[in-house]
Amino acid sequence: MDLISLYPTWYEPSVGSGWVIALIATFHVLASHTSVGAALLFAYLSHRAYKEDRDDLLDFVKKYGLFLMVFTYVAGSITGPGIWYSTTVASPNGIGALIHSFVWKWATEWVFFVIEVVGVYMIVYLVGKVDKKTHMKISVIFGIASLATMIIIVGILSFMMMPGKEIWFEEGGYLNGFYGTNTFIQTGMRIAFMFTMTAIVGGIVVATIKDPAFKKEMTRKLGWLGIISTIIGAALFQWYITSVPSQALLVMENRLPDYFGPSIIAVLSGTLAYFIITMIRPQFLVQGLAGGMAILFLVAGLWPEETARESMRKPWVAGQYVYSNQVIGRDVPGMDIKSDLPTIERVGILQAHPFTPDHLKVVNEANMIQSGEFIAMTYCSNCHSPSETGIRPLHRYFPEGVTQARMEKYVKGVLTTGNIAYMPKMPMLDSEVEALSAYLVMNNDGGQPAITAAIAEEVEHRNRMLAAQKATDKVAILDNVQEAK
Amino acid sequence: MDASQVAQITEMMYALRNPAGVPTYPLIFIGLGVLTFALHILFVQLMLGTSIITIFGAFKNDDKWRRLGSAMLEISKVSVSVAIVIGVAPLLFVQVVYDPHWYTSNVLSAYWVIAFIIILIFAYWAMYFYYFQNSKNKDKTVQPKARWSMLLSLALMLTVGFIMHSLTSQILHPDLWKSWYMQNGVMDYSGSTLHAYNLWRFAFFISMAIPVTGGMLVTYRRFKSVRSDADQAYLTWAAEIGKTWIKVGSIISALLYVAWMMTIPETAGDFATSFWGIIAGVMVLFYAVWAQFRLKGEAKFCSYMALPMALVIGLVIATSREMLRYGILNDFFHYDFMDYKIVWDWYSTGLFFLTFAIVGGATLAYFLTVAWQAGQTVGVYTPSPAVDKLGTVVIWIMILWTIQFFVVGFYVWAQ
């Protein structure tokens, strides 16, 4: 069988499908991490409320819980599967690899999700309706369930960067894929930063507290939580960097935007300053400041961090065996997985792709640009948009006026051989090299309008040919009928 | 379609399968998918039905309807959350055994898939907006504010329902996938179109909101009637509406089911007249018959059975729906999920079922007992020693689960 597992491509020209995933994922990280941190904070506060018989702490839990329910549980619970949806349409084989290796882990996480969702309603709506001891117990269960959702997903996230242990490639096994050095360090780092987020978002609720003494107490509690967790998180981030593959570090050094480092340092310093200032002067803590801080952390902290984690995996998208363009790029004997590359080398990408239309399976003069576009969409568009904007636009990589011959030399010499460390190997037949190069040159020179016009011409030509063929067939049939008479 | 064309489609579907395989028998994923879909759709229908009552109550100048609308809003809010969280499970399981179909369907309508997420968030926020606009007013009989937001919420919820319906329908047409990928002779990478739908099928699942919500109203009366501060006349009125909704709603749904069966794809063969084709419709009608005979008078026990009955009927429908999918994809297109490559993993399989049964079972038993009894108590509820003990046991179960997670992890890591 010459077909490989490749799905249709979704091409989003304005921002690119990769950014769509990143946008949803970043928002989800803020919502989910805040929720998990808050769940543990609620367990602590509920315990204190029970031990010290305090109603104000439970009122705070109720207020913060209701706030979270609307903003993070609603958005968080939807953007969670939302990441599945967005990766499904942008990277089906990437998410498929994770789903098929870790389906039971996700199913186990789901059990804790159900507990979490029932728990958050109980925590909010049963304040004052059940005794404090029972509320404390519900909060503790809710807190542990939330933490469980976090520790489970981190193992899967780590696998995206690299399987837990190298031996997974040879022996397979869920445990070898799930647990590794990176898993544990990343778990610690995420737990630390989730408390930072809880402390920042919690400020929005603390700002509404009327009683100055209670406001001061809660500001200090959240302030200390934020300071300690930020410092621990920053330290663990440094450690985390040591646990990623050397390939990822290379990408990090060469491919990440210049603003990445300064942005992370600025946001961490700003976060610490924010906590210190609000602890010293609780009256400064107003909703606008706390909300602004949450947005700043999202935009200047989480966004670069999540996009960096995404970029560092290149050329892989999952488990160091699925390329970012969905092709399986290496054998995994432990899972009986075979690389797609030999098949593509043998028959070409157009023959190997299950969704190639019949008229594009073999490149010829009449379908050159369409075939080139199909190859570019399959091989390139996940990471490089052929549009003016979008993710790392293709036209930025080629000089103006680049010739067909020069482009073919580049495609054949660099892309089909996999000579760029952070890009997949992309085998092509010579005819496919020619088609892709023709497309890239035209895209470089005339952009989308030129491509659209060329494709329209090819389609018209094809229609003319089909009509002519039909007419010839009709004449032949009539001739046969007359002969038969 | 001739045999060679079918063979090409079969080959394509098998090529798309994920080579990592599945960690246990594929049938188990289908079974869990059916179970969790039935639970998911039950809460979707509850959410829709209770939203309709909330809207009706908001627009009708009637004290009882306004009170009922306000009470049902609480159920609607929780139902959305539960529907979303339970919906994660069938979404997971369909990707495991029907990944070629689910992924293709999604990519070909990618814009709508992304829109689904955004629309659902706004639908939920619109419901909360309505809630916050009116929650502070203790008098639930006055005209509520921001009624438009509840209407908007319902409209958006129906929109996301339709998107999901279409994505699921597209699974059933592998013969059309390639043609959907090419519009007017040109490749279409935009994912901007929903390609397949069956309005009768969609209407059937939505219409089931009527009998299911009827069951909810009957249960609501029974649950609240034991409170010393209960308004029995109001509760009895609500239950009567519920009984009517079960009976009338079941008949409407059964008719829509027949319409769906009359319009299933030709590739389904004679499914409509097969056992699974008929039994789902019969079960929907049976709900009306059951309500007629079992919900007479006080019906102390059967009032509590109204929702479990809806779930049982939902399970039969979910099974029929699965059999229809299997019938089309296996019998006509020769894609059999049962022969998916298995890469056994006993640990993760065992851990899930133990977590599901022990952690999930014990925790939800504790949570629901407390919630149930607190809901029936006027004032502060203090659990019995047995329930209190259950809470302690659940905490220990959770702690032990977390410890085993790290112990196993460190052991594997240190090897």
Side-chain angles (χ1 to χ4, degrees):
Chain A
M1 192 167 70
D2 290 335
L3 297 180
I4 60 172
S5 178
L6 278 177
Y7 289 90
T9 301
W10 174 46
Y11 168 52
E12 204 296 309
S14 36
V15 291
S17 56
W19 286 120
V20 173
I21 299 178
L23 281 167
I24 293 171
T26 305
F27 186 73
H28 177 71
V29 168
L30 178 73
S32 61
H33 283 37
T34 303
S35 306
V36 176
L40 293 170
L41 178 70
F42 292 168
Y44 164 73
L45 292 176
S46 195
H47 178 72
R48 290 284 301 273
Y50 166 59
K51 288 288 174 194
E52 297 166 18
D53 194 21
R54 287 177 59 179
D55 291 327
D56 54 355
L57 288 175
L58 283 186
D59 282 342
F60 177 78
V61 168
K62 183 175 183 172
K63 258 187 175 176
Y64 195 0
L66 197 58
F67 176 81
L68 288 182
M69 207 190 272
V70 176
F71 290 101
T72 65
Y73 277 92
V74 171
S77 66
I78 297 170
T79 50
I83 296 177
W84 270 354
Y85 283 120
S86 56
T87 46
T88 290
V89 295
S91 181
N93 275 347
I95 191 68
L98 301 178
I99 293 279
H100 284 80
S101 284
F102 299 112
V103 52
W104 287 131
K105 215 63 199 173
W106 254 310
T108 306
E109 190 193 19
W110 171 76
V111 175
F112 289 106
F113 276 146
V114 176
I115 294 170
E116 221 186 349
V117 165
V118 178
V120 73
Y121 278 99
M122 292 181 71
I123 279 181
V124 170
Y125 288 111
L126 293 186
V127 169
K129 291 180 181 163
V130 295
D131 64 313
K132 290 193 176 74
K133 188 181 173 192
T134 305
H135 194 276
M136 187 248 321
K137 287 189 175 182
I138 296 168
S139 300
V140 170
I141 294 165
F142 173 62
I144 302 173
S146 294
L147 181 67
T149 63
M150 159 80 88
I151 59 181
I152 290 172
I153 198 66
V154 174
I156 300 172
L157 295 179
S158 294
F159 180 87
M160 286 169 76
M161 177 73 80
M162 59 197 281
K165 301 179 79 173
E166 189 67 21
I167 202 168
W168 177 82
F169 288 105
E170 294 305 319
E171 294 183 3
Y174 141 84
L175 289 170
N176 289 330
F178 191 85
Y179 289 112
T181 308
N182 185 276
T183 318
F184 291 113
I185 301 174
Q186 194 179 161
T187 302
M189 183 179 75
R190 282 184 183 271
I191 287 175
F193 282 131
M194 88 191 180
F195 281 124
T196 306
M197 289 177 230
T198 303
I200 291 172
V201 177
I204 299 172
V205 184
V206 172
T208 63
I209 297 174
K210 299 278 188 297
D211 176 7
F214 185 51
K215 183 175 181 180
K216 189 176 176 183
E217 181 192 347
M218 291 312 299
T219 307
R220 294 220 160 149
K221 274 193 167 77
L222 290 184
W224 280 119
L225 179 69
I227 290 169
I228 294 167
S229 60
T230 305
I231 292 169
I232 293 175
L236 286 171
F237 180 72
Q238 296 304 315
W239 193 16
Y240 169 77
I241 295 296
T242 67
S243 71
V244 300
S246 52
Q247 166 81 13
L249 290 178
L250 184 75
V251 175
M252 199 175 165
E253 281 163 18
N254 292 295
R255 303 298 299 164
L256 289 186
D258 296 338
Y259 65 79
F260 175 71
S263 170
I264 294 287
I265 292 168
V267 82
L268 291 179
S269 315
T271 305
L272 286 173
Y274 162 80
F275 285 129
I276 292 166
I277 291 166
T278 53
M279 281 172 76
I280 296 169
R281 289 268 182 273
Q283 63 271 31
F284 286 1
L285 184 60
V286 291
Q287 280 189 306
L289 177 68
M293 192 61 215
I295 292 169
L296 181 74
F297 197 83
L298 178 76
V299 175
L302 282 180
W303 173 260
E305 188 273 328
E306 288 297 316
T307 48
R309 207 171 50 81
E310 185 73 25
S311 302
M312 284 161 69
R313 292 202 301 266
K314 299 287 180 280
W316 310 106
V317 73
Q320 298 215 314
Y321 77 95
V322 183
Y323 276 142
S324 46
N325 60 18
Q326 310 299 294
V327 171
I328 291 172
R330 70 180 280 187
D331 290 340
V332 184
M335 299 291 286
D336 194 23
I337 293 170
K338 298 268 187 290
S339 166
D340 290 332
L341 299 180
T343 304
I344 305 176
E345 278 163 353
R346 187 162 44 82
V347 301
I349 184 66
L350 291 173
Q351 289 285 348
H353 199 308
F355 284 92
T356 310
D358 291 341
H359 69 280
L360 298 184
K361 285 198 167 163
V362 177
V363 177
N364 55 51
E365 278 302 319
N367 67 15
M368 187 71 71
I369 299 301
Q370 290 176 86
S371 306
E373 183 193 50
F374 190 90
I375 297 168
M377 288 297 171
T378 303
Y379 268 159
C380 316
S381 68
N382 260 15
C383 302
H384 298 284
S385 178
S387 57
E388 277 298 309
T389 57
I391 195 164
R392 302 181 202 94
L394 276 170
H395 68 86
R396 288 193 197 157
Y397 292 82
F398 305 113
E400 217 170 289
V402 63
T403 62
Q404 171 79 12
R406 180 96 186 271
M407 188 66 88
E408 280 184 29
K409 201 172 171 190
Y410 170 77
V411 171
K412 189 155 187 177
V414 178
L415 301 186
T416 63
T417 52
N419 274 342
I420 298 181
Y422 41 82
M423 282 176 68
K425 183 179 180 182
M426 294 173 255
M428 279 171 261
L429 303 179
D430 286 348
S431 58
E432 292 171 342
V433 169
E434 190 189 353
L436 177 62
S437 302
Y439 171 81
L440 291 175
V441 167
M442 188 172 279
N443 187 53
N444 214 46
D445 291 344
Q448 192 56 46
I451 299 286
T452 307
I455 288 177
E457 207 171 297
E458 285 182 0
V459 171
E460 204 185 316
H461 176 261
R462 180 168 163 261
N463 288 342
R464 273 202 311 270
M465 297 299 285
L466 282 174
Q469 183 66 42
K470 238 180 197 170
T472 313
D473 291 348
K474 216 172 175 180
V475 171
I477 290 168
L478 283 174
D479 286 349
N480 286 341
V481 170
Q482 276 178 352
E483 272 173 32
K485 278 181 181 173
Chain B
M1 206 178 309
D2 62 34
S4 73
Q5 287 170 315
V6 171
Q8 277 182 17
I9 294 164
T10 310
E11 185 191 12
M12 173 177 72
M13 289 189 288
Y14 274 89
L16 290 170
R17 274 187 176 180
N18 195 289
V22 295
T24 190
Y25 297 112
L27 190 60
I28 291 176
F29 297 107
I30 289 291
L32 287 170
V34 168
L35 173 66
T36 51
F37 173 78
L39 281 164
H40 164 71
I41 202 73
L42 179 80
F43 281 97
V44 167
Q45 287 155 350
L46 262 182
M47 175 268 291
L48 290 173
T50 49
S51 287
I52 288 167
I53 291 179
T54 303
I55 291 167
F56 191 72
F59 281 90
K60 192 164 171 67
N61 193 10
D62 180 293
D63 286 359
K64 282 201 291 247
W65 271 107
R66 290 235 166 109
R67 279 178 67 187
L68 188 63
S70 173
M72 288 302 112
L73 176 62
E74 299 293 336
I75 293 167
S76 195
K77 276 190 309 167
V78 178
S79 296
V80 183
S81 282
V82 178
I84 291 169
V85 76
I86 292 183
V88 170
L91 179 64
L92 172 65
F93 297 129
V94 77
Q95 292 178 70
V96 177
V97 287
Y98 283 122
D99 48 331
H101 315 79
W102 181 247
Y103 291 163
T104 304
S105 171
N106 275 244
V107 176
L108 290 172
S109 304
Y111 257 108
W112 291 98
V113 173
I114 302 300
F116 173 89
I117 304 159
I118 297 162
I119 296 171
L120 183 53
I121 289 175
F122 280 102
Y124 207 176
W125 275 346
M127 187 183 285
Y128 263 105
F129 180 78
Y130 177 80
Y131 167 74
F132 282 117
Q133 286 291 307
N134 298 292
S135 60
K136 286 198 177 127
N137 193 345
K138 297 284 174 211
D139 183 1
K140 300 300 178 194
T141 59
V142 297
Q143 180 178 306
K145 294 179 205 162
R147 294 179 294 183
W148 61 268
S149 61
M150 203 56 210
L151 281 169
L152 176 68
S153 174
L154 181 64
L156 294 179
M157 291 288 185
L158 287 170
T159 307
V160 293
F162 186 78
I163 294 172
M164 199 44 58
H165 157 75
S166 178
L167 293 174
T168 313
S169 299
Q170 288 174 184
I171 284 180
L172 306 177
H173 300 281
D175 49 325
L176 299 175
W177 293 345
K178 283 178 94 165
S179 64
W180 291 339
Y181 197 26
M182 200 170 63
Q183 301 288 323
N184 304 319
V186 180
M187 297 306 296
D188 179 11
Y189 305 101
S190 71
S192 59
T193 310
L194 287 172
H195 302 277
Y197 53 86
N198 179 325
L199 288 177
W200 295 114
R201 175 179 169 149
F202 179 62
F204 164 70
F205 278 106
I206 298 299
S207 74
M208 280 297 288
I210 306 170
V212 165
T213 307
M216 179 72 232
L217 290 174
V218 169
T219 311
Y220 170 68
R221 199 270 315 165
R222 178 69 182 87
F223 179 74
K224 289 286 185 187
S225 66
V226 298
R227 285 177 64 115
S228 57
D229 60 350
D231 179 348
Q232 299 296 346
Y234 156 75
L235 291 173
T236 305
W237 166 81
E240 288 306 315
I241 291 172
K243 289 175 197 171
T244 308
W245 278 38
I246 294 177
K247 291 176 215 166
V248 175
S250 296
I251 293 166
I252 293 171
S253 295
L255 290 172
L256 289 168
Y257 181 80
V258 172
W260 171 25
M261 284 300 113
M262 288 168 71
T263 53
I264 54 175
E266 280 179 24
T267 48
D270 58 358
F271 177 83
T273 52
S274 70
F275 172 76
W276 287 109
I278 292 168
I279 190 70
V282 169
M283 284 303 284
V284 173
L285 270 182
F286 173 70
Y287 199 23
V289 177
W290 178 85
Q292 176 67 26
F293 290 102
R294 303 302 298 175
L295 293 179
K296 282 180 179 165
E298 185 63 9
K300 278 190 174 176
F301 176 73
C302 284
S303 292
Y304 277 142
M305 288 308 293
L307 280 177
M309 275 300 296
L311 177 62
V312 169
I313 292 160
L315 271 169
V316 176
I317 296 167
T319 309
S320 288
R321 171 181 171 272
E322 199 58 55
M323 292 306 290
L324 172 63
R325 176 152 60 189
Y326 185 70
I328 293 173
L329 295 179
N330 178 65
D331 298 350
F332 191 88
F333 290 108
H334 312 305
Y335 176 90
D336 188 358
F337 71 83
M338 304 267 249
D339 58 20
Y340 216 115
K341 180 179 105 181
I342 300 176
V343 181
W344 290 103
D345 191 275
W346 293 107
Y347 173 76
S348 67
T349 306
L351 183 67
F352 164 71
F353 281 105
L354 287 173
T355 306
F356 184 72
I358 298 174
V359 181
T363 309
L364 290 179
Y366 174 65
F367 272 8
L368 297 180
T369 305
V370 170
W372 183 275
Q373 295 191 342
Q376 291 192 329
T377 304
V378 180
V380 175
Y381 163 70
T382 304
S384 65
V387 175
D388 187 54
K389 185 98 179 159
L390 179 61
T392 310
V393 169
V394 170
I395 290 174
W396 276 109
I397 289 173
M398 295 286 239
I399 291 171
L400 285 173
W401 189 95
T402 312
I403 290 171
Q404 73 75 34
F405 177 90
F406 284 106
V407 167
V408 171
F410 280 121
Y411 175 77
V412 171
W413 173 71
Q415 287 277 299

